[in-house]
Amino acid sequence: MAVIGIDIGGTKIACARVSEELEIIESTFLPTLASQGFDASLAQVFRAIDSCITADVEAIGICAPGPLNPKTGVILNPPNLPGWINIPLAAMIQAKYSVPCVVENDANAAGLAETLFGAARGCASVLYVTLSTGIGAGLIFNGKIYHGKNGFAGEGGHVSIDYRSAITCNCGTPGCIEALASGTALAVRGLNPAALNDNQLDEMATMLGAWLGSLVSLLDPDIIVVGGGMAQIGSPLIDKLRRIVPTRTINQFASEIPIVPAQLAANSGVLGAASVALGGRA
Ligand SMILES: [Zn+2]
């Protein structure tokens, strides 16, 4: 048996048929054709699935840009997919291919993939964070994604660390960690996340450490997994976080909570989507 994982991005669609062990058997990449509107890009999604699907596929998982509702499988109105407004994508795919389909946001899916197959394998409660152009999080409790009442839980990038900050996030809140420490936030200040000097790296780690410390106070996770492009900074950043986080939380066991880099960084979109399909099936 196998599943299909699809990562719908603003510019390209990645699709793969994936084994139960999360090995990619066959994959395809197509342009999203987002600027041509909903019908054109939905046709590309179908084309991508058609090129990978075989008779042994038992479920389809999709990662798509938010906002979306993973509980209902409805894509709400993502800014980089024009015309995709209140689209019941999971139901449409399910009707066309007659297999269960689940839709999930990127960070939740990547967090589940790390829990089932990656750096957090065997852990029950996982805090996955992605440090990239934006900052996101995925909360895994008892091996399942925590969605909250409306499907919008885990928006860790929009947890504020400074209510008096002069920097207001796109969401309207001052001091969201995404507005302060994401790749986009660094670029606004003229900094290159891949080439930070010691002081700049210290400042970034201090902000991220305060944020993660608060999340540890709240969640007391088994492990923290750090993914996303900026995680490529690697041990200079991770080592600082390991030092700072225990000083920014009441959790006296915080120093024992591993902070580790993600393992499935390459293909995290399709593998995350496939994990959601596998997790949803189990
Ligand atoms: Zn925000």
Side-chain angles (χ1 to χ4, degrees):
M1 98 76 160
V3 298
I4 297 271
I6 311 164
D7 181 13
I8 304 176
T11 55
K12 77 173 191 323
I13 296 167
C15 180
R17 189 170 78 256
V18 174
S19 74
E20 278 175 288
E21 293 76 36
L22 210 68
E23 285 154 359
I24 292 178
I25 304 161
E26 184 179 8
S27 59
T28 189
F29 299 88
L30 291 175
T32 309
L33 306 181
S35 63
Q36 295 181 26
F38 170 69
D39 289 339
S41 38
L42 181 67
Q44 291 294 83
V45 172
F46 289 154
R47 200 164 293 147
I49 296 172
D50 290 343
S51 73
C52 288
I53 199 162
T54 49
D56 64 340
V57 166
E58 291 188 6
I60 296 176
I62 300 180
C63 273
L68 59 82
N69 188 337
K71 289 183 157 185
T72 58
V74 173
I75 311 283
L76 299 181
N77 54 343
N80 52 358
L81 291 179
W84 288 60
I85 298 162
N86 295 325
I87 304 297
L89 184 62
M92 293 167 83
I93 302 270
Q94 208 158 308
K96 183 167 167 67
Y97 295 98
S98 302
V99 292
C101 177
V102 274
V103 174
E104 189 51 86
N105 81 53
D106 304 354
N108 284 349
L112 183 65
E114 293 292 337
T115 304
L116 295 178
F117 301 101
R121 206 178 308 195
C123 295
S125 61
V126 178
L127 169 57
Y128 173 82
V129 298
T130 171
L131 310 177
S132 182
T133 50
I135 291 182
L139 309 179
I140 313 296
F141 295 147
N142 297 321
K144 300 273 184 203
I145 296 169
Y146 176 72
H147 284 130
K149 180 186 175 192
N150 298 300
F152 294 108
E155 287 292 347
H158 299 281
V159 169
S160 175
I161 61 166
D162 180 4
Y163 75 93
R164 292 169 302 190
S165 175
I167 300 173
T168 297
C169 181
N170 289 335
C171 78
T173 304
C176 285
I177 190 69
E178 173 166 293
L180 300 182
S182 65
T184 306
L186 297 176
V188 165
R189 294 166 56 191
L191 304 177
N192 173 358
L196 299 177
N197 67 33
D198 272 357
N199 287 341
Q200 292 161 345
L201 193 59
D202 272 344
E203 188 197 356
M204 185 179 149
T206 300
M207 293 189 289
L208 291 171
W211 174 64
L212 285 175
S214 294
L215 295 180
V216 164
S217 296
L218 187 68
L219 302 171
D220 191 21
D222 291 344
I223 191 170
I224 299 171
V225 180
V226 182
M230 287 197 324
Q232 308 296 328
I233 294 170
S235 47
L237 175 62
I238 300 266
D239 289 349
K240 284 183 200 297
L241 293 177
R242 286 180 182 137
R243 221 168 30 246
I244 295 169
V245 169
T247 71
R248 292 289 181 268
T249 174
I250 195 172
N251 189 319
Q252 60 186 298
F253 302 103
S255 61
E256 297 167 19
I257 299 172
I259 302 178
V260 301
Q263 282 180 5
L264 305 171
N267 301 315
S268 78
V270 285
L271 293 181
S275 297
V276 171
L278 288 164
R281 188 189 54 91

